[in-house]
Amino acid sequence: MHEKIMSKLHFRSIYKTIVFTLILCFVYNIAYLMMSASGMNVYLRQSLEVVLSLLSSLGFYFICTKIWKKQNFCASAILKVLVLQGIYILIVSGILTNLVNVCTNNTSLMLVLQLISAFCLVMMVPFQLIFYYGLIHNKNLKEFIPFALKKHQKSMLNWYCTLLICIVVFDTMSGGLFSAAQGFNAQSILVGSMYMGNPMISWMMYLFLGVSFKSSLAAMFTYLFVNFLLGFFYCILELNYVSYVGSLLDAD
């Protein structure tokens, strides 16, 4: 079943969605990087990060509708998308991040928090996709989500873990944002994925830093070129994963 579904995934079927995704990434990253570089009050910046994260969830929902070729932009669906993202922000920034800051010197508790963060890192996007699929197709979420998790959890998690490993490995080799060169920190990657988890962030971050510090873009060409290609590659992989999840759930 997995081979049959994955064999149908290719570039041509999602090329329009790739363009939409790259445009949304560009707009989000410009706003995020400019905000991060400004000298605004830290609380204001954190509030704006939350707003951007909420808006990014709407962008992700929009991309899912394009991939799955079905739309549901009613007020109720949009509100539920924002509520889910708000819950994710509360878990990651409101709870886990504060606990990590408090328990820095307690090795046992830090290990537990890292395991919880790793669990969240692996589970949040697959759950989010099931949730979005249910919204877009007007499913009864209370019945559909447990059913989908029970039936497809293993398949979805296997492919998503493979995707995460690929991103961490390639970012480590290229010096990308999710590099594990200094050690694997699940909580740090989880926070990064919440606010900077789009495929073009590493490329735009290097470009932004180069322009900000008036570095020679020619001297940074290798970094920019490699990270752009990797970002484009990540985009294709991630959209294929969304398509794969839709194919799994369509088969029910």
Side-chain angles (χ1 to χ4, degrees):
M1 172 64 77
H2 295 167
E3 289 77 11
K4 182 179 179 181
I5 293 174
M6 292 302 289
S7 66
K8 296 181 180 178
L9 303 178
H10 48 76
F11 177 82
R12 287 181 298 174
S13 65
I14 59 172
Y15 76 93
K16 290 183 180 179
T17 313
I18 291 174
V19 174
F20 283 123
T21 303
L22 294 179
I23 291 172
L24 290 175
C25 287
F26 182 80
V27 172
Y28 178 91
N29 290 338
I30 285 292
Y32 184 87
L33 292 171
M34 290 184 67
M35 177 190 68
S36 299
S38 69
M40 68 176 63
N41 179 275
V42 62
Y43 296 110
L44 176 59
R45 187 176 72 248
Q46 289 174 348
S47 299
L48 291 177
E49 285 179 349
V50 169
V51 172
L52 284 176
S53 182
L54 291 172
L55 291 175
S56 73
S57 68
L58 295 178
F60 186 31
Y61 181 77
F62 168 76
I63 293 300
C64 289
T65 65
K66 292 297 181 182
I67 291 273
W68 296 332
K69 295 179 171 59
K70 189 173 178 63
Q71 298 183 3
N72 181 8
F73 292 109
C74 68
S76 175
I78 292 175
L79 179 61
K80 289 175 181 176
V81 169
L82 294 174
V83 168
L84 178 64
Q85 188 71 7
I87 293 172
Y88 279 2
I89 292 170
L90 177 62
I91 292 172
V92 174
S93 297
I95 299 176
L96 287 176
T97 299
N98 288 326
L99 285 176
V100 167
N101 292 335
V102 170
C103 303
T104 303
N105 297 321
N106 191 316
T107 305
S108 299
L109 286 178
M110 282 295 292
L111 177 60
V112 172
L113 291 173
Q114 287 293 327
L115 290 174
I116 294 173
S117 297
F119 174 80
C120 292
L121 183 64
V122 169
M123 287 297 300
M124 284 170 64
V125 169
F127 180 87
Q128 190 174 26
L129 288 174
I130 292 174
F131 186 83
Y132 287 179
Y133 186 95
L135 285 178
I136 292 170
H137 291 81
N138 293 308
K139 301 282 189 180
N140 183 326
L141 295 179
K142 291 183 179 180
E143 297 177 358
F144 174 71
I145 292 176
F147 169 79
L149 284 173
K150 182 178 180 180
K151 186 173 182 180
H152 300 299
Q153 181 182 20
K154 184 177 179 180
S155 301
M156 292 176 65
L157 291 181
N158 284 344
W159 283 112
Y160 188 64
C161 287
T162 302
L163 176 61
L164 283 177
I165 291 171
C166 286
I167 292 174
V168 171
V169 169
F170 285 123
D171 266 21
T172 300
M173 292 189 296
S174 65
L177 186 67
F178 296 103
S179 171
Q182 303 298 321
F184 183 79
N185 187 324
Q187 190 270 335
S188 178
I189 293 177
L190 179 63
V191 173
S193 67
M194 176 65 62
Y195 299 106
M196 297 173 285
N198 68 78
M200 303 307 293
I201 185 65
S202 293
W203 170 68
M204 289 195 66
M205 182 177 65
Y206 277 118
L207 180 62
F208 187 84
L209 289 174
V211 172
S212 298
F213 291 100
K214 299 181 180 180
S215 301
S216 169
L217 294 183
M220 297 182 64
F221 177 78
T222 302
Y223 273 112
L224 292 174
F225 182 70
V226 169
N227 278 281
F228 178 82
L229 289 183
L230 281 176
F232 191 76
F233 177 60
Y234 295 159
C235 183
I236 294 173
L237 286 182
E238 290 168 11
L239 293 180
N240 276 332
Y241 179 72
V242 174
S243 179
Y244 169 68
V245 170
S247 300
L248 279 180
L249 298 176
D250 283 341
D252 293 335

